[in-house]
Every structure is written in C-alpha cells, then in structure tokens.
Amino acid sequence: MAMWKGSLRLFLSRYLHTTASAQKGPVNTKDVLSKLRKKTGFPFSQCSNALRKHDYDLEKAEAWMRKQAIKEGWAQATKLQNRPMSHGLIGVMEEKNSAVVVEVNCETDIVARNEQFHKLTSRVTSACFEYIKRQPQNKISFTNDQMNALVGPDGEPLKDVVAMAIGNIRENLAVRRAVGLNATGNSYIHHYVHTLSNCPEIYGKCKLGKYGSVVVFKSVFNRDRTDKVVKNLGHQLCLHVVGMKPKTIGSKEDKPCENGDLETRIIFQEFLLDTGKTVGEFLQENNIEIVDFAQFECGEELPREKKTPVDEPDKQEGVANVN
C-alpha cells in the first residue's frame, strides 16, 4: 500500500508539472538561449546546459550560472594568484565635483584589449565612483576593507565580480589601487586619460587608458571662471601630472632641487607645456592653486607593494592589493 501511494504521488507530481508547463505554452529554446548568453556573456554550451538543468527557466538558469561562475572563479583565482601581472588599464570617471582613478591589472596585453576586461574595469571604476561621491572627505585612497565593502552597479560584491571575471577570462586579474577626489567650495576638478591604440577611450561612462590623472585646483581670489577657462587650465595641469609624475605639491617656503630632473614637487617642476617657466609660475600667472592631485600609470612599480593579487573569499580581506 505504501509503495502504491508513493507511485501515485510521483504520477500526480509529473502530471501537474506537465500540465503547468503546457499552460505556459511552448518555450522558444533558441530565444531563451540567446537571452541568457547576452545577459551573462558565458559560452553557448554553458548557457544551454544551465537551461536544460532548470527546464528553460531563464531566471533560475542565470542565478545558477552566476553562482557556479563565482565558485569556479575563486578556485581559478587561488590557482593563478602567484602569476605576475604587468598589463591592464586605468579607469577614470568624473561627474560634477567628484572623480576617481582606478588601476586594474591582468597578465597579458591581449586581455587588456579584451571587451570583457574593459567591462570589468568600468564596473570597478563605477563602484569606486559611486562610493567617493557620497563621502565628505576631499580624498580617499581606497583600502582593502573599503574595496571589500563595495558593491557593483548590479548589486554584486566587487570581489565576486573580479573572481567571476578571472574564471571567465582564465587569467590572473586584480584591482591594484584606487583614489577618489572631491572638489569642495570654490574648487574645480578635471581629469585626463591617455589612451593607446586598440584601447577604447570611453566604455560606458568610464574612460579607459594606460595613463590617467585627476587634479583639483581653485582660484586664489575667488574669481569666477568660465567653463572653457576652467577646462583649459585643468587640462594643462592634468597633462603635466601625467607627463612629469610629481609626488607632492610642495610649498613656496621650500627650496627647489638643484637638479631639476630630480624634482618631484609639482610647483618647482618645469611646466610640461612651456619649459620656460615652472608650474608655480604658471599657477601664479593664472591666479590658481593646486589643492590635490592623483596620477596612475598602468604597471608602474609601487613602493612596499604586496604580491597577493586576490584574497580567497573566506579570508574576507579584499579583492586585491589596493594601496
């Protein structure tokens, strides 16, 4: 009797499932497969397998695929974590009074020119930008803890976004560092990104390149400036920062280096766009002061840099080395 009841329950369960599926109408498998491929970016074979596992339910298949991708990504990240990364991209976003500059690294130039890597860099930059624009500080150099707490534009933790990209691209990837700046009061903010061939200048709202800078400056006498003047002054300063790589602003009370080629304070450096004057003299001529700046060159050597590109998820320390 117990066996008969069990068989009956199984029959009814299958009958009701078949009836419910029939009421929904036939599923266009090619259409669902195409939608899943477009949403996830995974190969058709993986999408097809996920759909078959979940009776062509698009939402369930997508959720399962992302969960598997994150799991496989962390395993791949652990496997590849000691492989060196000397390539990548700089991502920069600026809007109103906020800007952020981010470096994301990969192993090869081929991946750096890959659209999936462009999308990853854009997502990381966007997450950092959304964070900085809500902060009261004028400058934030992101720490591992801050990176670990960030959520991407689609609500996924940033560390999982990077892990999933590693699993997809099959190459070691890392968010190396990020700095955000806010312009307050009568300050202005401007950015510059130097692109190379085969690298898109803009991906979404994020500009991508190999070099990037952000400069915050202000008028000395609280003078109103036209947008055109502000943009021109900011552009010149950003170009100088990328080309001359100053480390600090410096003070008028300081003495310049005897060897100008070794000068790292921006106000004492020869102005890149007019070597007949210093940056300090350019600032004085235009009645402006530099408040702060940030400059990244992709792959440049950093002092006291850690070697671990991605922490395992159970360590809860962060996506990458963020200085």
Side-chain angles (χ1 to χ4, degrees), residues 115-222:
E115 187 176 358
Q116 289 186 64
F117 187 74
H118 299 163
K119 185 176 181 180
L120 172 65
T121 306
S122 178
R123 291 175 75 181
V124 171
T125 305
S126 179
C128 293
F129 179 78
E130 290 300 318
Y131 178 83
I132 187 65
K133 74 179 187 180
R134 297 192 301 266
Q135 305 308 310
Q137 299 99 311
N138 293 336
K139 185 175 186 178
I140 292 180
S141 295
F142 286 80
T143 64
N144 277 345
D145 288 339
Q146 287 169 324
M147 274 290 183
N148 195 45
L150 292 180
V151 175
D154 49 8
E156 289 183 296
L158 205 58
K159 61 180 182 179
D160 288 345
V161 171
V162 176
M164 191 157 56
I166 292 172
N168 238 355
I169 298 174
R170 301 289 173 177
E171 190 169 294
N172 199 11
L173 310 173
V175 182
R176 192 185 191 193
R177 50 181 172 161
V179 172
L181 293 168
N182 287 318
T184 59
N186 65 330
S187 298
Y188 308 103
I189 194 165
H190 195 78
H191 73 276
Y192 170 74
V193 177
H194 181 74
T195 60
L196 298 177
S197 60
N198 299 318
C199 177
E201 182 182 357
I202 300 177
Y203 190 93
K205 294 182 178 180
C206 175
K207 290 187 177 181
L208 303 175
K210 293 295 184 180
Y211 306 85
S213 64
V214 176
V215 175
V216 179
F217 61 100
K218 65 180 182 180
S219 295
V220 175
F221 302 114
N222 295 324

Side-chain angles (χ1 to χ4, degrees), residues 73-79 81 148 159-160 163 308-320:
W74 278 115
Q76 191 75 6
T78 303
K79 181 180 177 181
Q81 63 181 349
N148 195 45
K159 61 180 182 179
D160 288 345
T308 305
V310 180
D311 296 315
E312 294 181 35
D314 56 341
K315 292 182 181 179
Q316 297 295 312
E317 291 180 357
V319 179

Side-chain angles (χ1 to χ4, degrees), residues 15-115:
Y15 173 78
L16 292 172
H17 175 76
T18 304
T19 303
S21 299
Q23 289 174 347
K24 291 180 181 178
V27 176
N28 187 331
T29 56
K30 289 185 178 180
D31 185 50
V32 176
L33 178 60
S34 179
K35 286 181 179 179
L36 186 60
R37 172 71 172 86
K38 187 176 181 180
K39 290 184 74 174
T40 63
F42 296 127
F44 277 109
S45 59
Q46 293 183 20
C47 293
S48 180
N49 180 48
L51 287 169
R52 286 197 301 270
K53 281 180 177 289
H54 297 87
D55 295 324
Y56 287 88
D57 186 309
L58 182 62
E59 291 184 3
K60 289 182 179 179
E62 182 184 357
W64 180 82
M65 286 189 75
R66 292 194 181 280
K67 185 176 180 180
Q68 290 296 113
I70 291 171
K71 183 179 178 181
E72 292 173 9
W74 278 115
Q76 191 75 6
T78 303
K79 181 180 177 181
L80 301 176
Q81 63 181 349
N82 292 322
R83 282 164 46 167
M85 297 167 289
S86 58
H87 298 275
L89 285 173
I90 302 298
V92 179
M93 285 186 72
E94 178 199 326
E95 189 176 287
K96 295 182 179 178
N97 297 320
S98 301
V100 68
V101 55
V102 176
E103 180 179 2
V104 183
N105 291 143
C106 58
E107 296 178 43
T108 63
D109 183 57
I110 294 175
V111 166
R113 292 185 273 117
N114 184 292
E115 187 176 358

Side-chain angles (χ1 to χ4, degrees), residues 297-308:
E297 176 184 345
C298 187
E300 67 182 327
E301 186 176 347
L302 302 177
R304 302 184 302 279
E305 188 171 35
K306 297 178 183 178
K307 296 297 181 183
T308 305

